[in-house]
Amino acid sequence: MTVIVGALCSDGIVIGADSMSTSGNGRNPLIQVRSDDKIRVIDGKVIVVSTGSIGLAQRFESIVERSWQEEVFERGCQECGTSIAAHARQEFTSSGVYFSPGAGLDFGAMVAAPIYDTPELVEFNTFDLQPERKTRRRHWVAMGAGQTFADPFLAFISRVLWDSREPTVAAATVGLCWAIEHAIHYAPGGVGPPVRLAVLRREAGEWRATLLEDDALQEPRQHIAEIEKRIGFYASDGLANATASAPPPPPAPTAGTREAG
């Protein structure tokens, strides 16, 4: 169980995840342990993160890595995503993995990479792994057990902090960190700290994918604390003043009565 999030940015891509893994007997969870390797960077260019079975995640990462080595990414975003999805489905079903009628595969992933010198973020959905390329209109995504908490929160972040447009990498780092922490605080199990983030951006004229160290997350956390502080200040002071100064609305006419005139 996990929560993973991603954002297509005006100057790159940010992908994030929590650090909790669940060990279980089939679909019955038994214990939860910290996992710091949910996000993988391949060749300093490709970011891969997944939700679901760890074994399937390892196999999916191998398929993405082989696709990168065999220059499948050079064929363009759509063909690359379709090829990875087809190989993953074939690989999974060859060992007896099946797509249940109700839940599908119950495994999904995101891949970020520079394709034709453009940062591309592709979601492989948890039902049948069909790839979806993120665009300016739909520039963020959340998946996993914490999706029900992260998804609406990301919609709020996109509207309020990002003006419903592609954010910068810096703004996305703050927003995704905030969304993951929100899911960690309120999800009823299966999602846990610490937050992990990876970015794809230009460095010295070349696209480079890197995992952010814990120290690099201190600044986003400071921004989050300041935003929450200002919201709290407005709620306690701004709304109180507005309520005190605004005249009460006139009572609504009662049904069956007539106004004097």
Side-chain angles (χ1 to χ4, degrees):
M1 300 176 73
T2 190
V3 59
I4 60 177
V5 293
L8 176 66
C9 308
S10 58
D11 55 346
I13 292 170
V14 181
I15 281 180
D18 75 312
S19 297
M20 184 70 72
S21 292
T22 304
S23 176
N25 178 16
R27 292 184 177 271
N28 300 317
L30 297 178
I31 61 173
Q32 295 177 342
V33 295
R34 175 168 168 170
S35 175
D36 291 328
D37 58 355
K38 287 186 178 181
I39 304 177
R40 184 182 173 193
V41 174
I42 298 172
D43 199 26
K45 299 289 186 181
V46 183
I47 304 171
V48 186
V49 65
S50 57
T51 173
S53 164
I54 294 177
L56 294 183
Q58 293 169 344
R59 293 160 71 178
F60 185 84
E61 290 168 4
S62 296
I63 292 169
V64 174
E65 183 172 18
R66 185 164 64 247
S67 299
W68 176 257
Q69 294 171 346
E70 295 176 354
E71 299 183 346
V72 176
F73 285 74
E74 299 298 323
R75 303 175 189 172
C77 187
Q78 181 172 345
E79 186 171 345
C80 174
T82 302
S83 174
I84 290 173
H87 280 85
R89 287 172 62 97
Q90 182 179 14
E91 162 70 17
F92 293 169
T93 56
S94 69
S95 61
V97 178
Y98 69 97
F99 294 75
S100 66
L105 182 60
D106 200 23
F107 172 85
M110 299 179 205
V111 175
I115 300 179
Y116 292 163
D117 199 38
T118 300
E120 298 282 3
L121 175 60
V122 180
E123 170 194 2
F124 296 85
N125 72 53
T126 55
F127 187 78
D128 56 8
L129 284 182
Q130 291 305 307
E132 178 186 333
R133 174 177 174 258
K134 296 303 156 182
T135 63
R136 291 181 178 180
R137 183 178 296 275
R138 174 66 170 168
H139 49 268
W140 51 267
V141 56
M143 305 173 74
Q147 180 181 356
T148 52
F149 294 88
D151 226 1
F153 197 73
L154 274 174
F156 164 78
I157 288 171
S158 177
R159 177 174 59 86
V160 175
L161 296 187
W162 302 343
D163 196 26
S164 300
R165 295 181 295 183
E166 292 171 300
T168 62
V169 165
T173 300
V174 174
L176 296 192
C177 183
W178 197 8
I180 297 171
E181 290 189 342
H182 175 76
I184 289 173
H185 288 157
Y186 296 106
V191 180
V195 174
R196 300 290 289 165
L197 293 178
V199 301
L200 174 68
R201 57 187 166 191
R202 281 192 184 276
E203 295 182 6
E206 293 187 3
W207 290 105
R208 182 168 179 79
T210 55
L211 278 167
L212 298 183
E213 300 296 333
D214 290 340
D215 291 345
L217 297 182
Q218 293 306 310
E219 183 177 350
R221 289 194 175 102
Q222 290 173 0
H223 286 299
I224 293 169
E226 184 63 25
I227 293 170
E228 292 180 342
K229 180 180 178 182
R230 295 192 181 191
I231 293 174
F233 172 80
Y234 188 84
S236 62
D237 189 62
L239 290 180
N241 291 337
T243 303
S245 60
T254 304
T257 62
R258 298 177 59 186
E259 295 183 359

